[in-house]
Structures are given as structure tokens and as C-alpha cells.
Amino acid sequence: MSTFLASGPNLGRSGGVGAWLAGLSPAGKAGVLAVEVVVMLVVWQLVVGVFGWINPVFLPPPTAIWQGFVELVSSGVLWPNLLISLQAWLIGFVVAAVIAIPVGLLMGTSLPVDRVVGPIAWTIYATPSIAYQPLAKAWFGFGIGPVVFLVAISALFPILLNVAAGMRTTNPSIIRAGRVYGASRTQLYRSVYLPSTVPFLFAGLRQAVVLATIGMVVAELSGSAIGMGALIIKSVNTYQTDQAFAAIAIIVAWSVGMAQLVTLVERWVAPWTRTGRR
Amino acid sequence: MSVTSATGTMRIVRPRRVVRRDEAKWTWLLIGVIAVILLVWEAAVSWLHLVPEAFLPPPTAVAASFAQLMVDPEFWSAFAYSLSNVVIGLVLAVVVGVVVGLAVGWSPVLRFTVAPFLWLLYSTPKVALAPLFILGLGLGSESKIALVFLLAVFPIILNTMEGAVTVSPSLVNAGRVYGVNGLALGWKVIFPATLPYSLSGIQRGAALGFTGEVLGEFLGGTGGLGHLLEYAAYQFEMAEAIAMVIVMVIIANLTLLLISTLRRRLAPWYDDRKIAGAP
Amino acid sequence: MTTTTEPRHHEASPPAPLISVRDLSVTYDVARTGKRLIAIEGVDLDVHEGEFVTVLGPSGCGKTTFMNVVAGLVKPTTGTVLVDGSPVTGPGPDRAVVFQDYALLPWRTVFDNVKFGLEMQKALKGEGWRDRVQEAIEMVGLAGFESSYPRELSGGMQQRVGLARAFVAEPRILLMDEPLGAVDALTREVMRDEIDKLIQKTGKTVLFITHSIEEAILLGDRIVVFKSHPGAIKEVIETGLERPRSERSVQHDPRFLELRDHLWEALQGEATAAAVSK
Ligand SMILES: Nc1ncnc2c1ncn2[C@@H]1O[C@H](COP(=O)(O)OP(=O)(O)O)[C@@H](O)[C@H]1O
Ligand SMILES: [Mg+2]
């Protein structure tokens, strides 16, 4: 992200501030960003909390959200709901990965499987998973079941389709190298196809984290009595929107944290994808 | 196919159809497999009674419900309600998203100051804000349109921004060399170069906007396809519920098809796989 | 054309060629258009043990296709390719390939890339292989970079890895497909001389593909000139220049100048023909 911010053509006239920003060291850039965040929070606090230009019920100021968080923790409602949500998220995600990875590999290996599973998977993937929520609720009741189902079906297809794409787009030149140096069919899979699919797998997992979180929230908001979504609904219905925002912040932290975890695992499993000097 | 994008994740690009002589063979195989699945489903439910019909109605019952829906005026008014909300929200999101995305991508200062917050908002599961929108804007169309807009606008901004940033500097210079400047430069060079990026943002935005509309209908109000689906499932009219889901699958895939056709029409030079560098 | 698998019997005096290509043609089915494309047609060529043969031609004239057939990566449509008297049915340990785009495995370090050939041939038993790999790495001047990943190396260094990988497999024949086509001009000259020295030292038989006239003259004992549409051999020229050759030493050699002018003319006609027919 930082490279993205720093790069790109100077489309506008290269003004003084732009040039100054572009010339900053990484630490300097981080400093400027930190200042921006603080300024933003202060402005938010002033606009809502002090001047009251926006009804704090709809957009509580940062201090109120922090208070909401403290209330959630001290009243003891946070932990049980959070645990339920995380449990559903993790089960759904693992189920998705356990199904998606082998099927994706199979799609990459066998053309008939690819041509049959591919179109079906794309069709389901293109449909927002919220469409399946009422069915899940009818079939799996009101507990954790529908949430797990929606998380799993949201996470399944990005992983599956990325793995299949990774297998299919393995650099033909590397495959030729493998054949030239005498790799057998199994060696070719182990040493060429699988490693070159790894970055795609992690890309799929990262995408799946985002979609699984959306799936979890959707499932819990519409028809669950427990979990973070239910907590948000309850807080909003009692006009304690500061608590709702605190709950949303926790979900955001979870989603960002899991995506970060996937990236960390990728760095560890696939160190070659790390950008190096050139 | 998979490519890295501004949105930090890779986005999978559906492989371009290659016209091959044996393509028809695979289509038949696919049709055959689907037919077998439907047959097994029908057999398990209607003939062998392995699953109670109330729980999972057979394909024939679903097809009958689907046919009924197609001639049901109530369905079509729900369809019109949902569609108009999504379209209004989406049009607003496209206008705002493209303008903001171009501005932020264009100006290094804006990119530095605003982009991080846009990123943060992009990666937030904003669906969680749905109850607040219902609380603030009521049960009518307003809350749903606002939700569609909010969910759809960020992918459009981020992708347009990426497009503007990746417009090759030599392209801009080429434009300048030939005396294209100012607004004309934007219109003749940067806009067409950014268009395919905006369109893939719009594609993602449409899917999220659809989610917003349906979620809004689940949470409150009495109109729309989401409400109809929710009600059917609540009544345990499973055949009708499954038929509704199929309707949504069709709508979602048609929208996707429409946008990718549009992209091919408006930007035929553009290769899906070249959105950004390789992984 | 005979289809016998026996080696052809020539007159007793010259030794049988190591590579013997007879009436070779390759046509591709172009999937997109459904048409057939004749890549090469009627190619005859003998290469003797220890010879350095350069293949020169405009791009798209079928050089890579020709080399891929010898490597066993592409099946001939008609004709035969014999290596050491037996027909080529696939890649084998007697032939190694250096690829234009290096074709290194991005997930392997330099050391692991170089050992790739040995590993695929299950030759990693015993003790000696580590020394052999290390030796090859030192031979191409990459000592100290054993644990770097390919993406951390410059193009020239990556191709050195490709060379080491080929040498360590101890093939009789080295097939090089524009190995210096993707490196910068300065590195190209340095590496050209290094390849020359390595080959002279190891005495390997080489088929070296290039589109650079100077490279073809400076490296080859013989130059095979390809024409396009369809790809076929236009002529074969003995260079007859003293070794060691360097750009500087041959600069004023009348034979070099004569060859260069001759090849220039031959290729210019080809390049224009290729450009017009596209
Ligand atoms: N796998 C393939 N399928 C179809 N056509 C190919 C294939 N490989 C090469 N060709 C075509 O064959 C011709 C010769 O290609 P190539 O052998 O790569 O030439 P060169 O190496 O001399 O540039 C070109 O016109 C190329 O487009
Ligand atoms: Mg070539």
C-alpha cells in the first residue's frame, strides 16, 4: 500500500506539497499519516461531540465509541457474543478451505472437472451470498448453523477459483524446464504446479477473509439471536449506537487481523514472494 | 486468472472463452452433469422419499414455483421496487466514485491525504452499518438506496483511483506532445485509459449494492425481492424460496454479464489479465 | 523418407553425427482460428560431437520450434530426429536446455534451482552432488548468492543460474534458446565470452539459437541460417575463424567482415519478407 501511495505518475502539476510528500522518507511518510489520523479523530470529535453538527446517535464521536466499548466489556455482553461469532467464522472458514483446496487442485489437474465445476462455481460466486441466507435459516435453524453456512459459502469460491486459476496459469516455460530436466508426472506436480499455485492460494484466502466476514455479519444481522451481528441490532434498537460502532470496530479489527495473519503465513510459507532488491 | 489490484486482494478474472472445436463437447458434459444432479435430486425426494419434501422440494416443484412467480404481478412489483433502488443507488455511486477516484488518483496530495482513509473504509465490512441506516432513514426506499450507495461506492473509487494512477506516464506525455491539455487530456487520454478499471469497480460495486438492497429488505420494510424471499422461507414455502434464490442468481449473473459486455464494448483493447502486474 | 529406428549408415570415414535431423516438419493447430500453421518444413541437419552450431534467423521463423523438437518437448509432424543414433521420444538426461526467459523456479534459491536437474533425475544420493552443485555455481560466478531467490537477481545473474543448472546435469548436448536475448547489451557481451570459454573447456556439443549476427559468428563453428514462411534452413556456413575469438580480435578480420556482410544481406531479405507477410 505504501508503495502504491508513493508511486504513480504525477498527473497533476507537480506542486510543492506533492513534491515534498514524494520526497519524504518512509518514516516521514508514516509520521505524516499518523498526524492525519489524529487530526481526523479530533475533527470528528469536534464536529459531533462538541459542536453537535451531526446527531451523535447516527455517528457517535470517538470518545463515545470508546465508552461504548468499555460498557460492552464491563457489562459482560461482549465476550459470549464475540466468541460465538469467531467460532462460527472459524468453523465456516476451515470448512470452506478444506473443501475448496482439493477441488481447486482437481480442477487444475483435470480438464473435464474444470469445465464442469468451473461454470457452476462462477455462477454461485457471482451471486452475493446473502441470497442464500433465508434458505440457510430455514434449513439450519436459528443457532450458529446458518452463520457457519454463509461464512463457508462466501469463503469457498474465492479460494477454489484462485487455486484452479493458479494451477492453470503455471508458467509454461517452467513446466518445460521441469520436463527437460526429467521430472516425472508426480514430480512435476510437487515441484512445479503446487509451488506456483501457492501465491494464488493465499490471494484466495485473503479475499475469502473479507467475504467471510461480510457473510458472517449478514447472517447474524438477519436472523441470529446471538453473535456480534445480533449485538449490533440490539444496540441500535435501544439507541446505544456507540456500542454498535464499538462492535463494528471489533469486527473490522478481526477482519483486518485475519487478512494480516494470512499474509504473515504466506511470508513464512512462500518467502520467495517477498519483494527483494532488484 | 488472477491479478493483483488496488484493492490489495487479487481479483480472479473469469478466463476468456477460447473458441475451440471441442468446446461443444464440454458444454454437453456440463449439461449432462447438471441433468444427472437434478435427476438424483428428484429421485431422492419424490420417488425414494429420502428427504422430506417440505424440507427440500424436488426440482419439478421448484420449476412449478418459478413458473408461477413469472406470472405473479406481486413478484414483478417487488422486482421493480428492488431494481429501482439498486439502480438509483448504483448510479449515484458511479458518479461519485468515478469523480472522487479520478480526483484522488490525479492529485498526489489528495492521494496521500485521503487515500489511506478510503482504504480503511473500503476494507471495513460496511454491511454492519445496515441497522443504523434503517434507524436513521426509516423503513422506506431511502435507507436502502443509501445502503446500496455506501456499499457500492468504495470499490468504484478505489479501482478508478488505481486506473488513474497506473495510466502510463508515457501516455500522458504522448498526449501532451500532441498538444492535448487540461480537460481534453482528461477526456481523451485519462478517462478512456481509466474506464476499464472503473468498470471492474462497478462490477464489484453492483454485487455489493445488491447485498445492501437485499439486507435492507431483510431488516425492515415490506417491499422487494429480498422481502419476498425472506417471507417465503419464513413460511417454509421452500419451493418458492428456492425459486426466488434462482431468480437472484439469474439477476446477479446477468448484471455481471452486462457489465463485462459493456467493458468489452467500450474498451475492446483492454485485456483483463493486464489490470496490474503479475502476482 | 524412412521410418526405421536404426541409425543411418554413412560412409565409414566420418564419425556418425551426434544429432541427426532428417526432413523435419512441424505444424501447429492454432486453437483460436482453427487453422494449421507450418512452423518449420523440410529441415535436414547433422551436428557432430563437440561442435558449436549457431542457429540464426528472424524472430518467428521457427528456431524455438526446431530446438524444442531436438529437446523432445515438441513432437515432429513428419521426419526424424536422432540423438546418438536413437530417435528422440521425449526429453532426456543427455540434453539440457537454457531458456530465453531463464525458466527458473521462483520459489527455489539459487542453490536449489541449480540442483533441480539432479533432483529430478534422483541423483541426489551419496555425497558428491553438493560439491558438484557448488562447483557449477562458482563456475558461472555466482558464489555467495547460493541462498538468493531469482527475483533478487538481475537478468544476467538469473541466466547464469540457468547455465549452472544446465551444466550440473552433465548433458552431452546443450540447447540454448536465445540465452542472452533478454539481458542488457553490456552483460550480453561479457556473458557471450564466458559461455565461449566454458564450452571450449567442457567440450560440449551446442545448439545455440540467436538473432544476433555477431553472436552467431563469434560463437559458432557453423552457422545455420533460417528463413521464414515456412521456417526452413536457408544455408549453412562454416565460420572458419580462429579461437579464442573476441569482438576486438575479429573486428578487422576480413573473414569476419565478409561473413557479417553476407549474413546481413541474407537476413535483411528475410526480415522484410517476414514483415510484409505479417
Ligand atoms: N504452441 C504453438 N502453437 C501455435 N503456434 C505456435 C506455437 N509455438 C510457435 N508457434 C508459431 O510458430 C512460428 C514459429 O515460432 P518459434 O519457433 O517460436 O519461432 P522463433 O523462435 O524463431 O521466434 C511462429 O509463427 C509462432 O507463432
Ligand atoms: Mg524463439
Side-chain angles (χ1 to χ4, degrees):
Chain A
M1 181 177 130
S2 53
T3 53
F4 173 72
L5 290 175
S7 69
N10 262 350
L11 292 182
R13 269 163 260 300
S14 35
V17 188
W20 176 73
L21 285 171
L24 282 177
S25 68
K29 280 178 183 158
V32 173
L33 265 182
V35 171
E36 276 175 30
V37 171
V38 172
V39 168
M40 187 79 179
L41 288 176
V42 170
V43 170
W44 181 358
Q45 184 72 38
L46 286 177
V47 167
V48 190
V50 180
F51 303 131
W53 291 341
I54 299 176
N55 186 345
V57 171
F58 300 125
L59 186 68
T63 50
I65 295 177
W66 173 251
Q67 269 164 17
F69 177 74
V70 172
E71 282 163 29
L72 282 182
V73 173
S74 60
S75 65
V77 293
L78 179 62
W79 294 121
N81 286 305
L82 184 60
L83 284 181
I84 287 283
S85 286
L86 298 193
Q87 194 187 346
W89 194 98
L90 285 170
I91 295 174
F93 199 86
V94 168
V95 166
V98 164
I99 298 173
I101 294 171
V103 176
L105 290 177
L106 197 65
M107 278 170 73
T109 313
S110 147
L111 194 60
V113 174
D114 186 63
R115 289 309 162 91
V116 170
V117 179
I120 298 174
W122 275 104
T123 307
I124 304 177
Y125 173 68
T127 312
S129 54
I130 189 170
Y132 312 119
Q133 150 74 6
L135 293 185
K137 206 161 70 178
W139 282 332
F140 301 111
F142 289 89
I144 194 177
V147 185
V148 171
F149 177 82
L150 226 63
V151 169
I153 204 163
S154 306
L156 183 74
F157 294 99
I159 305 176
L160 178 105
L161 292 168
N162 263 297
V163 169
M167 293 285 282
R168 285 247 168 274
T169 54
T170 300
N171 184 349
S173 184
I174 297 179
I175 299 171
R176 274 198 290 277
R179 289 178 57 203
V180 160
Y181 290 103
S184 65
R185 211 180 143 75
T186 47
Q187 275 175 325
L188 215 52
Y189 274 103
R190 238 202 33 234
S191 322
V192 175
Y193 284 101
L194 289 183
S196 67
T197 303
V198 166
F200 285 80
L201 167 65
F202 281 100
L205 288 174
R206 255 192 302 276
Q207 205 177 332
V209 166
V210 175
L211 292 176
T213 309
I214 293 177
M216 177 189 88
V217 172
V218 163
E220 290 186 343
L221 283 181
S222 48
S224 182
I226 35 172
M228 295 304 281
L231 184 61
I232 292 171
I233 294 264
K234 250 179 265 166
S235 314
V236 170
N237 286 347
T238 53
Y239 293 95
Q240 292 170 301
T241 47
D242 47 351
Q243 292 186 12
F245 270 89
I248 293 171
I250 293 167
I251 296 172
V252 172
W254 169 259
S255 176
V256 171
M258 289 317 281
Q260 210 60 37
L261 182 69
V262 170
T263 303
L264 278 178
V265 174
E266 180 180 19
R267 292 231 174 107
W268 176 61
V269 174
W272 68 87
T273 56
R274 239 179 282 174
T275 356
R277 71 202 148 87
R278 248 249 185 229
Chain B
M1 249 69 356
S2 183
V3 281
T4 47
S5 76
T7 48
T9 57
M10 284 180 172
R11 106 179 122 240
I12 340 168
V13 178
R14 192 171 198 158
R16 203 53 83 73
R17 282 254 160 272
V18 184
V19 189
R20 232 170 249 179
R21 269 166 291 166
D22 55 19
E23 199 63 24
K25 184 173 83 186
W26 300 122
T27 310
W28 285 115
L29 180 66
L30 176 64
I31 292 172
V33 168
I34 291 175
V36 167
I37 292 175
L38 291 180
L39 209 67
V40 169
W41 175 3
E42 183 77 43
V45 184
S46 332
W47 307 331
L48 304 172
H49 303 289
L50 297 176
V51 192
E53 205 163 306
F55 196 73
L56 180 69
T60 43
V62 174
S65 287
F66 188 89
Q68 254 168 17
L69 278 181
M70 291 301 109
V71 294
D72 185 353
E74 200 189 333
F75 167 81
W76 288 109
S77 74
F79 180 83
Y81 177 85
S82 295
L83 200 69
S84 63
N85 285 348
V86 171
V87 168
I88 295 171
L90 210 55
V91 166
L92 289 174
V94 169
V95 172
V96 173
V98 169
V99 169
V100 172
L102 279 178
V104 177
W106 176 277
S107 148
V109 178
L110 278 182
R111 199 152 72 229
F112 201 87
T113 48
V114 181
F117 296 106
L118 293 176
W119 276 85
L120 188 70
L121 287 171
Y122 172 79
S123 45
T124 305
K126 289 168 295 297
V127 279
L129 293 170
L132 280 147
F133 276 72
I134 306 282
L135 179 74
L137 296 170
L139 297 173
S141 284
E142 294 84 358
S143 60
K144 278 135 211 169
I145 293 172
L147 203 54
V148 171
F149 171 80
L150 177 82
L151 291 182
V153 77
F154 286 99
I156 301 175
I157 294 180
L158 269 282
N159 277 289
T160 306
M161 186 168 96
E162 180 193 13
V165 169
T166 29
V167 171
S168 139
S170 62
L171 206 59
V172 174
N173 286 338
R176 287 205 173 128
V177 165
Y178 290 105
V180 190
N181 250 316
L183 268 185
L185 185 69
W187 176 244
K188 290 246 168 77
V189 179
I190 293 170
F191 176 71
T194 317
L195 186 66
Y197 291 85
S198 302
L199 281 170
S200 54
I202 292 169
Q203 197 165 313
R204 182 94 198 95
L208 280 166
F210 183 90
T211 303
E213 172 67 26
V214 175
L215 183 61
E217 292 172 13
F218 282 180
L219 290 182
T222 51
L225 291 177
H227 178 74
L228 224 55
L229 167 59
E230 167 103 295
Y231 189 70
Y234 177 73
Q235 298 281 307
F236 228 79
E237 300 277 0
M238 290 314 283
E240 196 187 326
I242 294 175
M244 287 293 308
V245 171
I246 292 173
V247 167
M248 291 193 174
V249 170
I250 292 172
I251 293 175
N253 280 278
L254 280 184
T255 312
L256 197 75
L257 190 73
L258 180 76
I259 294 172
S260 56
T261 310
L262 212 61
R263 188 166 61 187
R264 220 158 295 157
R265 267 291 167 77
L266 296 177
W269 68 89
Y270 161 86
D271 184 355
D272 282 343
R273 279 152 290 180
K274 278 198 197 139
I275 295 174
Chain C
M1 198 208 76
T2 101
T3 49
T4 167
T5 54
E6 277 169 55
R8 285 160 171 271
H9 293 291
H10 295 266
E11 279 94 317
S13 46
L18 183 57
I19 305 172
S20 168
V21 180
R22 284 292 169 274
D23 192 29
L24 174 69
S25 303
V26 175
T27 48
Y28 289 113
D29 286 325
V30 184
R32 202 167 42 79
T33 58
K35 288 196 184 122
R36 291 168 71 80
L37 182 133
I38 303 172
I40 49 174
E41 194 174 53
V43 171
D44 287 288
L45 184 70
D46 281 341
V47 178
H48 292 272
E49 179 104 51
E51 236 190 329
F52 197 130
V53 172
T54 50
V55 177
L56 180 66
S59 84
C61 71
K63 306 182 296 292
T64 299
T65 303
F66 173 63
M67 195 206 74
N68 279 343
V69 175
V70 179
L73 291 169
V74 168
K75 289 223 170 351
T77 309
T78 62
T80 49
V81 177
L82 305 182
V83 168
D84 203 17
S86 31
V88 168
T89 54
D94 51 350
R95 284 152 290 147
V97 179
V98 179
F99 296 87
Q100 173 171 7
D101 58 355
Y102 324 131
L104 301 178
L105 283 62
W107 48 89
R108 286 182 174 230
T109 60
V110 168
F111 189 92
D112 290 345
N113 260 297
V114 174
K115 81 168 192 197
F116 181 69
L118 297 179
E119 186 182 324
M120 292 304 116
Q121 286 152 24
K122 304 209 162 62
L124 292 188
K125 296 183 186 90
E127 273 308 294
W129 69 268
R130 276 182 188 285
D131 296 336
R132 271 168 70 194
V133 171
Q134 189 60 37
E135 214 172 283
I137 291 174
E138 279 162 22
M139 189 174 73
V140 298
L142 282 182
F145 290 94
E146 290 83 356
S147 49
S148 301
Y149 285 105
R151 66 183 299 166
E152 298 168 346
L153 305 175
S154 69
M157 288 160 93
Q158 291 190 49
Q159 193 55 294
R160 286 165 197 270
V161 180
L163 279 169
R165 175 173 69 179
F167 273 108
V168 86
E170 296 191 341
R172 286 177 77 184
I173 302 166
L174 266 176
L175 304 169
M176 303 200 196
D177 187 4
E178 306 196 25
L180 305 179
V183 301
D184 63 279
L186 222 62
T187 314
R188 189 152 62 221
E189 265 182 49
V190 173
M191 285 187 68
R192 191 217 310 124
D193 292 348
E194 286 179 3
I195 288 177
D196 195 14
K197 285 199 194 90
L198 280 174
I199 299 298
Q200 297 317 314
K201 203 167 72 186
T202 53
K204 297 220 183 291
T205 310
V206 181
L207 207 57
F208 185 104
I209 288 168
T210 179
H211 58 239
S212 148
I213 293 175
E214 278 77 18
E215 223 165 78
I217 304 175
L218 283 166
L219 287 171
D221 299 322
R222 273 197 297 158
I223 303 169
V224 175
V225 185
F226 260 63
K227 69 172 205 61
S228 31
H229 306 290
I233 294 181
K234 188 183 175 108
E235 59 180 322
V236 180
I237 309 172
E238 299 269 350
T239 49
L241 288 165
E242 294 282 315
R243 280 184 199 272
R245 309 162 186 168
S246 73
E247 183 108 52
R248 209 167 289 178
S249 73
V250 297
Q251 202 99 72
H252 304 291
D253 188 324
R255 173 69 182 151
F256 174 77
L257 297 174
E258 180 196 348
L259 278 171
R260 199 176 61 177
D261 285 347
H262 178 82
L263 292 173
W264 245 111
E265 244 156 66
L267 281 194
Q268 202 168 30
E270 274 315 307
T272 335
V276 168
S277 74
K278 276 261 151 109

